[in-house]
Amino acid sequence: MSVPQPVRSPRRRAPRNTLNPDRILDAAIALLDRDGAEAFTMRALAEELGVATMAIYSHFRNKDEISDAVAQRLLDGIELPCGGALAPRCELREVCLGVHRLFTEHPSALQLLTSRPLRGDDAIGVIDRMLALLRRSGLSAKDAVRAQVTLMQYIVGSALWSIRRSRALCEEGARERVRAKFDALSPERYPTLTSLAPELMCAQEDAVAQFEWGLDHLLCGLLAGQGPPED
Amino acid sequence: MSVPQPVRSPRRRAPRNTLNPDRILDAAIALLDRDGAEAFTMRALAEELGVATMAIYSHFRNKDEISDAVAQRLLDGIELPCGGALAPRCELREVCLGVHRLFTEHPSALQLLTSRPLRGDDAIGVIDRMLALLRRSGLSAKDAVRAQVTLMQYIVGSALWSIRRSRALCEEGARERVRAKFDALSPERYPTLTSLAPELMCAQEDAVAQFEWGLDHLLCGLLAGQGPPED
DNA sequence: ACCTGAACACCGTTCAAGT
DNA sequence: ACCTGAACACCGTTCAAGT
């Protein structure tokens, strides 16, 4: 017969070197993807790793340092199209879609990213790639930089919007509530909005199509007058 | 001689009806603007109001309800240009600038807004206005809705970016650190990025100019082929 | 009805202690 | 060097009690 154990922590002492920064980041991303940003807790992360909370502090100074490392890791892992196979404009489009896909696949990571101050070294590889493609499309140095920032801002804003929408839509009876709100609006005060209610309802549904529509028009504006479109 | 008071709370009982939803929202916005989103605490809000923490719960069910009401209040208070005085395209530009200005003037409110699921009834007035202007610019019902969402996403992404950048830049010696990072980058791995370092450094400085540059090119892409530009 | 303080179940992190 | 539990100063919120 064994000695009665305390109910809460039947965990034995973890052997040395069970932990390392990589294992911690893997667990952090898994936790974020599975349970969301608000569940991303030092205590929950430790449990995920089968370890005492304070063990993590041997590898990272604090939670912010983990958040930064998670963002870094994800941004470095963006899958990009192989270079040169496409016209610059098409390749640029694919890169933007890749970044957007990463954000919508790891929504909690995006939340993390947008709530912390921006370090200069995020997503270096992607930025270089975008700048090169913009230059090859005929933009000046100054315009290429402006355009790259504009694209990134649109991608982030769009992904954030999609996440919030999809979270709102998966609540119980959300569609009915939205429809009811539209029906309650005064057509005198909001004539255009009420007349476009059907289009508004259905535009919310497919976030990717919405993103691509906006991206194509944005690219059109950014690359206008840079030679004939190459498609 | 008065009886010795406890040090921590020399506050007397607040008279009845000192509190109401409006006073609470005023205090919340003041607190957010002054001390930032991470300082927006029920206890801090109560102190701002000179009241016990739990007094607030008589007027709002919980903190999320206050956050939603703050967002609502701010979005309803966006100052818009008076209608009809400008060509649709210019007026649309002004509306976008107004929304962007609100967000950069209340950065903590934007953080609040982006971290909560999106209710359908945010910023109804602005949305209706934007849709009307897009329709008058010649866009179809479907395209007007797509374009309105695209614009809003760009505005949010851009404002969020500005906030994070400006917060990062006001840290001690931030510019020097960014410059050092650029200098340390390998020109072989990141040829375009390193060659554009001066442009990148200076593009970060004026967030409003960056926003306007992007907005003008986006509008150009959205309204392309909708008749001659009216300027 | 409105305001109050104590208490509960959380959180990130410091500290001294084990191995 | 790496892992541990207790403790501290926070947080949002429940509850029973005052007026």
Side-chain angles (χ1 to χ4, degrees):
Chain A
M1 298 299 245
S2 63
V3 177
Q5 296 286 326
V7 182
R8 285 280 291 179
S9 57
R11 177 170 42 76
R12 313 200 145 277
R13 174 175 262 264
R16 283 177 97 79
N17 301 319
T18 24
L19 240 45
N20 60 57
D22 264 335
R23 257 177 57 67
I24 293 172
L25 292 183
D26 287 340
I29 292 171
L31 181 61
L32 280 162
D33 288 344
R34 180 160 38 80
D35 298 338
E38 63 283 0
F40 177 46
T41 284
M42 293 301 278
R43 284 167 166 89
L45 181 55
E47 180 143 21
E48 183 94 8
L49 288 158
V51 113
T53 308
M54 292 315 299
I56 301 170
Y57 284 82
S58 302
H59 303 269
F60 289 94
R61 238 197 304 275
N62 52 39
K63 196 185 176 190
D64 281 353
E65 210 170 85
I66 302 179
S67 300
D68 284 339
V70 164
Q72 191 71 46
R73 158 89 78 97
L74 287 175
L75 288 171
D76 287 344
I78 294 173
E79 27 172 314
L80 297 176
C82 50
L86 300 166
R89 184 185 180 141
C90 298
E91 196 177 316
L92 182 58
R93 187 177 188 278
E94 288 303 314
V95 172
C96 292
L97 285 171
V99 178
H100 187 262
R101 197 180 316 119
L102 175 88
F103 286 153
T104 48
E105 279 170 6
H106 301 279
S108 313
L110 178 60
Q111 266 182 278
L112 226 68
L113 203 70
T114 52
S115 64
R116 319 207 6 80
L118 188 62
R119 308 266 159 267
D121 52 354
D122 289 337
I124 291 279
V126 175
I127 294 173
D128 185 72
R129 185 80 170 266
M130 289 171 77
L131 287 170
L133 291 164
L134 287 162
R135 289 293 270 148
R136 278 171 54 204
S137 300
L139 265 65
S140 71
K142 224 184 140 196
D143 282 355
V145 169
R146 289 272 193 227
Q148 193 275 321
V149 174
T150 304
L151 282 168
M152 214 61 167
Q153 290 173 339
Y154 170 63
I155 296 168
V156 167
S158 183
L160 217 52
W161 197 274
S162 310
I163 293 165
R164 297 177 57 216
R165 272 258 73 98
S166 70
R167 198 168 306 179
L169 280 180
C170 72
E171 280 174 19
E172 190 64 34
R175 275 177 193 76
E176 289 67 26
R177 251 181 294 132
V178 174
R179 173 161 297 283
K181 283 234 175 84
F182 273 126
D183 291 343
L185 284 180
S186 145
E188 285 83 32
R189 284 194 59 181
Y190 307 113
T192 318
L193 208 151
T194 45
S195 76
L196 296 180
E199 284 83 0
L200 280 160
M201 288 295 294
C202 99
Q204 315 278 12
E205 292 299 330
D206 51 352
V208 175
Q210 167 68 45
F211 174 70
E212 293 195 41
W213 189 97
L215 178 61
D216 287 331
H217 284 76
L218 178 55
L219 285 173
C220 173
L222 292 174
L223 303 179
Q226 307 295 332
E230 302 166 74
D231 47 21
Chain B
M1 300 296 248
S2 63
V3 177
Q5 295 287 325
V7 182
R8 286 280 290 180
S9 56
R11 178 170 41 77
R12 315 196 145 279
R13 173 174 263 264
R16 283 177 95 81
N17 301 321
T18 25
L19 239 45
N20 60 58
D22 264 333
R23 260 179 52 70
I24 293 173
L25 292 183
D26 286 340
I29 292 171
L31 182 60
L32 281 163
D33 288 344
R34 180 160 38 80
D35 298 338
E38 63 283 358
F40 177 46
T41 284
M42 292 302 278
R43 284 167 166 90
L45 182 55
E47 179 144 19
E48 184 94 6
L49 288 158
V51 113
T53 308
M54 293 315 300
I56 301 170
Y57 285 83
S58 299
H59 303 268
F60 289 95
R61 237 196 308 272
N62 53 37
K63 196 185 175 189
D64 280 354
E65 209 171 86
I66 301 179
S67 299
D68 284 339
V70 164
Q72 191 71 47
R73 159 90 78 96
L74 287 175
L75 288 170
D76 287 343
I78 293 174
E79 26 170 315
L80 297 177
C82 50
L86 300 165
R89 185 187 178 139
C90 297
E91 195 176 316
L92 182 59
R93 187 176 185 279
E94 289 302 314
V95 172
C96 292
L97 285 171
V99 178
H100 186 263
R101 196 179 316 120
L102 174 88
F103 285 154
T104 48
E105 279 170 6
H106 300 280
S108 312
L110 178 60
Q111 266 182 276
L112 225 70
L113 203 71
T114 53
S115 64
R116 316 205 11 79
L118 189 63
R119 307 266 161 265
D121 51 357
D122 291 334
I124 292 279
V126 175
I127 293 173
D128 185 72
R129 186 81 169 266
M130 289 172 75
L131 286 170
L133 291 164
L134 286 162
R135 290 289 272 149
R136 277 171 52 206
S137 301
L139 267 63
S140 70
K142 223 183 142 199
D143 282 354
V145 169
R146 288 273 191 225
Q148 192 275 324
V149 173
T150 303
L151 282 167
M152 215 60 169
Q153 290 174 339
Y154 170 62
I155 295 169
V156 167
S158 185
L160 215 53
W161 198 274
S162 312
I163 293 166
R164 296 177 58 217
R165 272 258 69 101
S166 70
R167 197 169 305 180
L169 281 180
C170 71
E171 280 175 20
E172 190 64 34
R175 276 178 192 75
E176 289 68 28
R177 251 182 293 131
V178 173
R179 174 163 297 283
K181 282 231 176 86
F182 274 127
D183 291 343
L185 284 180
S186 145
E188 285 82 35
R189 285 191 59 182
Y190 308 112
T192 317
L193 207 152
T194 47
S195 76
L196 295 180
E199 284 84 0
L200 281 160
M201 288 294 296
C202 100
Q204 315 278 11
E205 292 300 329
D206 51 350
V208 176
Q210 167 68 46
F211 174 70
E212 293 194 41
W213 189 97
L215 178 61
D216 287 331
H217 283 77
L218 177 55
L219 286 173
C220 172
L222 293 174
L223 304 180
Q226 307 297 332
E230 301 164 77
D231 47 22

